[in-house]
Amino acid sequence: GLAIVIGVSQLEQFKVATAAGGHAWMSGSQLYVMAGLTALTMAIIKIWPGATKRVPGLCKIPAPLAAILALTASVNIGGIATRTVGDMASIAGSLPSLHLPQIPLSLGTLTAIAPTALAVAMVGIIETLLTQQLVDQITEEGPSSTHVECIAQGIGNVATGFLGGMGGCAMIGQSMINVNAGGRKRLSGLSCAFFLAMSVVAGSAVIERIPLAALVGTMWMLVIDIFDKSTFKRLSKVPKSDSLVGGLGGII
């Protein structure tokens, strides 16, 4: 179900804003360029590990990063007209500063925000635990501590609120790309966080030139990686109620 959700959500990048304020599917050369660049990204990610296996230096560059760099260079040097990250919104920003939420501290405030806060917290922790389980299966390094994950996520989200940010949870896409690139220890996660922050603070001008097709292709390759193809074989062996719940989850 998660793979389907991620895959279908990328189709939104094939839509453009209309004069009426809505969105419509791309057509003509714009669609062909977007589809072609997306397919090229997926092809690079697929063949990169094998093609650079015996090339010192290049073999250590993660396939998704190589594909994004190649597409970004091709689009900008070749002057190819296609949508980029900057066309969606500017990502430029600065480091956050400490501030207290400007809300009245009362029972009425707590009553108003509690239902939404609880719902968001449940969704966040469920996605985190699902991501954790998937990473454990891929790395085969034994089960991680769910208690540590839950406590750390809670503390992190509380701290984020005092820095003007919004709550978050484990990201299946980033986690899978990190693991597939060889990340296994805490340093890999810290490195991802650091470079993500630096890309916003100092590298936004470069990030905004990345074609959306490169990101769509990367996410679709991720979907192929995390989609459990053996699910269909197990449908006849599990209770019908479980199959029904799984099917409805994927459809919804």
Side-chain angles (χ1 to χ4, degrees), residues 28 72-73 75 83 87 92 98 100 121 125 133 136 149-150 159-160 167 182 187 198-199 223 232:
T72 302
V75 167
R83 295 181 67 207
D87 292 329
L98 182 65
L100 296 177
I125 201 63
Q133 183 181 33
D136 285 341
E149 291 290 337
C150 294
T160 298
L187 181 60
M198 289 301 100
S199 67
V223 168
F232 299 105

Side-chain angles (χ1 to χ4, degrees), residues 146-198:
T146 56
H147 293 84
V148 172
E149 291 290 337
C150 294
I151 294 173
Q153 182 169 304
I155 294 175
N157 284 336
V158 170
T160 298
F162 290 103
L163 295 172
M166 59 186 294
C169 62
M171 297 175 62
I172 180 66
Q174 180 177 312
S175 299
M176 287 300 300
I177 292 174
N178 195 12
V179 170
N180 289 337
R184 292 294 184 274
K185 304 300 181 181
R186 292 183 177 90
L187 181 60
S188 63
L190 291 173
S191 299
C192 282
F194 174 77
F195 287 110
L196 179 60
M198 289 301 100

Side-chain angles (χ1 to χ4, degrees), residues 29-31 33-34 37 74-76 78-84 87:
S29 60
Q30 187 180 29
L31 175 60
V33 170
M34 182 75 174
L37 292 176
S74 300
V75 167
N76 287 278
I80 301 174
T82 187
R83 295 181 67 207
T84 63
D87 292 329

Side-chain angles (χ1 to χ4, degrees), residues 59-130:
C59 63
K60 295 184 179 181
I61 300 177
L65 177 60
I68 292 174
L69 291 175
L71 264 290
T72 302
S74 300
V75 167
N76 287 278
I77 295 175
I80 301 174
T82 187
R83 295 181 67 207
T84 63
V85 173
D87 292 329
M88 295 182 62
S90 174
I91 66 169
S94 59
L95 292 175
S97 58
L98 182 65
H99 88 285
L100 296 177
Q102 301 298 312
I103 58 173
L105 301 178
S106 64
L107 181 61
T109 300
L110 180 61
T111 303
I113 67 175
T116 301
L118 180 61
V120 172
M122 292 300 295
V123 171
I125 201 63
I126 290 172
E127 182 174 355
T128 294
L129 296 179
L130 288 174

